[in-house]
Amino acid sequence: MPITNLLTFWKGREKVVLNTVITLTTVFSQQAFSFFTFKCPCKMTLNLYYALSFIAVPALVLLILGYAINNMTWKLIMSFRNGTQLKLNSCKLICFVLLSVTGRAVIAPVTWVAVTLLNGLYYQCGMSEFLSVSSWNVFQNLTLRERKDILARFPCPKVSIKKIHNISEIRNEANRILLYQSQVAGWILVASVTIIAFLIVCIPRYCSPLCFLHLNYWVQYLENESSLFQEAAKRHSQLYASKHIKRFFGFTAQENEVKKIRLPSRKDWRMISGINVFTKFDSDPCQYSLLHKWADEITANDNYIPVDDVVSET
């Protein structure tokens, strides 16, 4: 009974669980990434490029992966390529799908950037040379390049700075300021994304012509339809593939009693070996594999032998 209740509770919440798993995985990955790989060069100009690469490149990769693993992305792309109903007049539908796909895709990259800013390590490295020095009189007699060169070394405590005495207090204060700026930017990002996500969820529901229960029913119907379609497609493809496999071998794995088997020729093996691509596009039915093509086009005489002869020879 408790297991049934647990399954009932989690049913329909798969997306929430998946989003939570993605977020937690991104957080732990960012922390590990920062600890093991990030080493600020503490050089003028290089700091900014190095920090930006550690922020932007992983976020971009996560964004692309977010789009790539979403089936709706490929449905939309293939609808533009092959669909006859999805035209420019379906702007609302296209925008809705894009928002839905983008909302799922940005979870990981936004989490990465937010955790990075809250951590402050990358921001301290990249923005140290741009820190204002107006409150520190020791920098007044230095040129702009010398100031930037010194500030660029602040994220590295082990790097010595000989031009300024008692630099440790200034370094600590500068790092605290940079950490403050980074964390404030991180919380602003978190708050902004939360508000935007809330509005994206609320606005479609507010504009929906369906009532609350009717909308829930529609969502459940789509989930059940997709699940049942996948099961039926799997069964259909098994039956369809079994037809071609039986013609090639003379039996299928599902048969309990096999009376005879077919001996494929070397030509047959060559015909079904190779890259699996569509070989027919413009005619029906399509040929889904090389074995399918062989089963449709082969005209050679079949060579069968009884199973009892094979058993006796072995």
Side-chain angles (χ1 to χ4, degrees):
M1 190 68 176
I3 297 178
T4 305
N5 294 335
L6 183 62
L7 293 175
T8 304
F9 175 79
W10 286 116
K11 183 174 178 60
R13 295 177 173 85
E14 294 85 357
K15 292 182 180 180
V16 177
V17 175
L18 178 61
N19 293 340
T20 304
V21 171
I22 292 174
T23 302
L24 293 177
T25 303
T26 305
V27 171
F28 290 123
S29 300
Q30 197 281 333
Q31 294 296 319
F33 205 71
S34 301
F35 182 78
F36 290 107
T37 63
F38 186 82
K39 304 295 180 184
C40 186
C42 293
K43 295 290 184 180
M44 187 172 55
T45 306
L46 294 181
N47 283 10
L48 180 61
Y49 295 149
Y50 188 74
L52 284 177
S53 66
F54 270 75
I55 297 174
V57 174
L60 179 61
V61 172
L62 290 172
L63 179 63
I64 295 174
L65 288 176
Y67 279 112
I69 63 176
N70 196 323
N71 288 334
M72 291 300 298
T73 303
W74 307 112
K75 286 184 179 180
L76 185 61
I77 292 175
M78 297 183 73
S79 295
F80 279 119
R81 172 63 180 85
N82 300 318
T84 57
Q85 298 180 352
L86 189 59
K87 302 296 182 182
L88 292 178
N89 56 2
S90 305
C91 182
K92 291 183 179 180
L93 175 61
I94 296 171
C95 292
F96 177 78
V97 174
L98 284 176
L99 284 176
S100 176
V101 173
T102 302
R104 297 286 295 277
V106 300
I107 292 175
V110 168
T111 302
W112 178 275
V113 176
V115 174
T116 297
L117 291 174
L118 292 175
N119 180 279
L121 185 62
Y122 298 174
Y123 186 91
Q124 286 178 335
C125 178
M127 300 302 294
S128 60
E129 64 183 273
F130 302 101
L131 192 64
S132 174
V133 296
S134 58
S135 60
W136 299 311
N137 296 328
V138 292
F139 288 92
Q140 291 180 354
N141 298 326
L142 301 177
T143 63
L144 179 61
R145 182 176 181 82
E146 289 175 336
R147 293 175 186 174
K148 286 193 172 186
D149 183 63
I150 293 173
L151 291 172
R153 301 181 186 185
F154 276 10
C156 302
K158 296 183 180 180
V159 177
S160 61
I161 302 175
K162 299 180 180 179
K163 292 185 179 181
I164 300 178
H165 298 288
N166 299 324
I167 194 65
S168 59
E169 295 183 3
I170 299 177
R171 188 202 300 264
N172 293 335
E173 183 179 354
N175 287 334
R176 285 196 300 271
I177 293 174
L178 292 170
L179 179 61
Y180 151 76
Q181 294 175 351
S182 179
Q183 291 182 338
V184 168
W187 284 119
I188 291 175
L189 176 63
V190 171
S192 301
V193 171
T194 302
I195 294 173
I196 293 173
F198 179 76
L199 291 176
I200 290 176
V201 172
C202 286
I203 292 176
R205 283 163 173 73
Y206 178 79
C207 299
S208 174
L210 305 180
C211 62
F212 179 76
L213 293 178
H214 197 177
L215 181 61
N216 284 346
Y217 174 82
W218 181 36
V219 172
Q220 292 180 9
Y221 170 82
L222 292 178
E223 292 177 352
N224 290 327
E225 181 186 69
S226 177
S227 175
L228 293 173
F229 184 87
Q230 293 297 328
E231 294 177 6
K234 180 179 180 180
R235 180 58 177 160
H236 184 280
S237 61
Q238 287 177 340
L239 295 173
Y240 198 32
S242 295
K243 170 186 173 183
H244 304 135
I245 293 172
K246 184 169 185 177
R247 183 167 184 186
F248 190 79
F249 287 116
F251 74 101
T252 61
Q254 290 79 17
E255 295 184 34
N256 294 324
E257 296 183 3
V258 180
K259 300 298 183 180
K260 58 182 180 179
I261 59 175
R262 180 180 178 275
L263 298 180
S265 65
R266 285 185 294 177
K267 179 182 177 182
D268 296 335
W269 285 109
R270 286 195 298 267
M271 288 182 64
I272 70 167
S273 301
I275 300 176
N276 185 19
V277 294
F278 277 110
T279 54
K280 274 188 179 181
F281 294 101
D282 300 328
S283 60
D284 289 325
C286 294
Q287 292 177 342
Y288 298 108
S289 68
L290 295 179
L291 176 61
H292 190 177
K293 179 183 178 181
W294 172 89
D296 287 346
E297 298 180 359
I298 191 67
T299 56
N301 295 327
D302 293 335
N303 184 16
Y304 286 90
I305 62 172
V307 175
D308 294 339
D309 294 346
V310 178
V311 175
S312 61
E313 291 177 1
T314 56

